[in-house]
Amino acid sequence: MSRSRPNILITGTPGTGKTTTSELVAQALGFRHINVGEWVRDKGLHSGWNEEFECFDLDEDKVCDAMEDLMAEGGNVVDHHGCDFFPERWFDLVVVLQANNTELFDRLQRRGYSEKKIRENVECEIMMVVLEEASESYRPEIVKPLTSDNTDDLERNVAIIVGWVQGMMAAGPR
Ligand code: ADP
Ligand code: MN
């Protein structure tokens, strides 16, 4: 398969800044932003609400089917907190955003998350669950952790990611 433009995945624990970063990167590159969580909710790509984890039980097959044609085209910034169920071939770059515990705690509290859900997500961040998942699912050369603690980080990360993608496009089709 060859696509004219790369696909990037921006992953990380909820609250690390995936959506904010993805929007800016997509805007700068003229790429499509796919917020997987919104697709799951709005297109019904799930098997119901999970009371325990306070989220929809995402249907991996439905999500991948819904994304397949656009991913084959290329030019996508995919924004999701998980990364192990997408086909490995879809992505040319996998960015794992990270944030420090207190900052993450504050962001999730502002979002109105329950104490339990905040604690689970902060633990997930401390244990680097998403980085490990990305490292097990994709070639190490394309997995890039970036810190997103403040707005300086945000600006720098957007510039770095845009630079990487422009470099890939200059190198020709993948
Ligand atoms: P995610 O999509 O990973 O859950 P969001 O992009 O929604 O995270 O960001 C969560 C909150 O943190 C938002 O209120 C956003 O404005 C803020 N935020 C995101 N990135 C940063 C950053 N680098 N510095 C400060 N605040 C940030
Ligand atoms: Mn988000």
Side-chain angles (χ1 to χ4, degrees):
M1 183 185 64
S2 112
R3 39 182 178 260
S4 59
R5 297 185 300 171
N7 290 319
I8 34 184
L9 174 61
I10 301 193
T11 189
T13 305
T16 49
K18 296 180 298 295
T19 299
T20 312
T21 305
S22 299
E23 277 172 357
L24 293 170
V25 168
Q27 196 178 20
L29 289 167
F31 278 26
R32 183 186 296 109
H33 173 200
I34 299 182
N35 184 328
V36 174
E38 278 180 12
W39 277 38
V40 167
R41 194 190 60 215
D42 299 344
K43 298 176 192 281
L45 311 175
H46 58 80
S47 52
W49 181 254
N50 185 317
E51 287 291 344
E52 187 190 348
F53 292 108
E54 301 168 53
C55 64
F56 286 108
D57 279 324
L58 174 153
D59 184 321
E60 297 177 354
D61 291 337
K62 281 186 192 165
V63 170
C64 291
D65 285 351
M67 292 172 64
E68 180 65 55
D69 289 350
L70 294 179
M71 296 307 289
E73 242 172 56
N76 298 288
V77 181
V78 175
D79 162 1
H80 193 54
H81 57 261
C83 60
D84 62 354
F85 65 90
F86 300 119
E88 187 184 354
R89 64 184 157 78
W90 275 2
F91 296 106
D92 305 286
L93 173 66
V94 176
V95 173
V96 182
L97 294 182
Q98 299 182 307
N100 81 56
N101 313 330
T102 49
E103 172 69 19
L104 190 64
F105 185 95
D106 292 346
R107 288 182 198 169
L108 296 177
Q109 201 166 44
R110 277 200 295 271
R111 192 178 269 184
Y113 274 17
S114 71
E115 221 171 287
K116 173 170 165 280
K117 199 167 172 178
I118 294 175
R119 192 177 57 243
E120 282 166 359
N121 281 304
V122 170
E123 275 169 17
C124 166
E125 183 64 6
I126 292 169
M127 303 293 287
M128 296 201 240
V129 172
V130 181
L131 180 59
E132 187 172 319
E133 186 179 317
S135 304
E136 284 169 358
S137 307
Y138 301 92
R139 286 178 296 118
E141 311 90 86
I142 73 163
V143 176
K144 309 283 189 188
L146 291 175
T147 299
S148 188
D149 284 340
N150 52 51
T151 50
D152 285 351
D153 289 343
L154 174 65
E155 261 181 53
R156 196 182 50 243
N157 292 342
V158 171
I160 290 172
I161 297 166
V162 167
W164 281 333
V165 174
Q166 284 170 341
M168 287 176 196
M169 290 196 286
R174 49 256 78 247

